[in-house]
Amino acid sequence: MENEFYRDYKERVMPALQKLHGYKNVHQVPRVEKVVINTSVGSQSDVKQALEEAKAELALITGQRPVETLAKKAFPISNCAKTRPLAQR
């Protein structure tokens, strides 16, 4: 089952790249291997609400459940604990 992005790439982008660069073989055309979408809500006043909204938006865009990323270090000045979720990926 092909998604819309892959179908468009195969039908429209690959022939254009082949013509533009003079590739003789389809396997010479560059492919998209991985797409990563991430967002951060570190500067919001209500972090929990902002994280839930970001999670819903990313799930709507990608069709997959986003993964929460945690802070790597604790920053006492900004009241950021090491286990506090900061972003979605």
Side-chain angles (χ1 to χ4, degrees):
M1 181 175 174
E2 295 179 349
N3 62 16
E4 186 177 335
F5 175 76
Y6 182 70
R7 186 173 36 251
D8 183 53
Y9 182 76
K10 198 164 80 170
E11 293 173 357
R12 194 175 58 84
V13 176
M14 282 181 71
L17 284 173
Q18 222 172 347
K19 184 179 178 184
L20 179 70
H21 295 290
Y23 296 134
K24 295 184 182 352
N25 192 337
V26 179
H27 298 291
Q28 291 176 318
V29 179
R31 290 188 307 244
V32 177
E33 293 181 6
K34 184 177 183 179
V35 177
V36 177
I37 302 172
N38 60 17
T39 183
S40 176
V41 293
S43 64
Q44 299 288 332
S45 60
D46 186 16
V47 177
K48 287 186 180 183
Q49 179 65 28
L51 276 172
E52 291 301 320
E53 290 174 3
K55 189 184 288 189
E57 287 177 7
L58 285 177
L60 184 65
I61 292 170
T62 62
Q64 298 177 356
R65 187 177 64 87
V67 176
E68 287 185 352
T69 56
L70 303 176
K72 293 182 181 178
K73 292 183 176 180
F75 298 105
I77 295 172
S78 62
N79 197 17
C80 177
K82 190 171 185 177
T83 58
R84 177 180 163 205
L86 290 179
Q88 303 287 328
R89 177 174 57 165

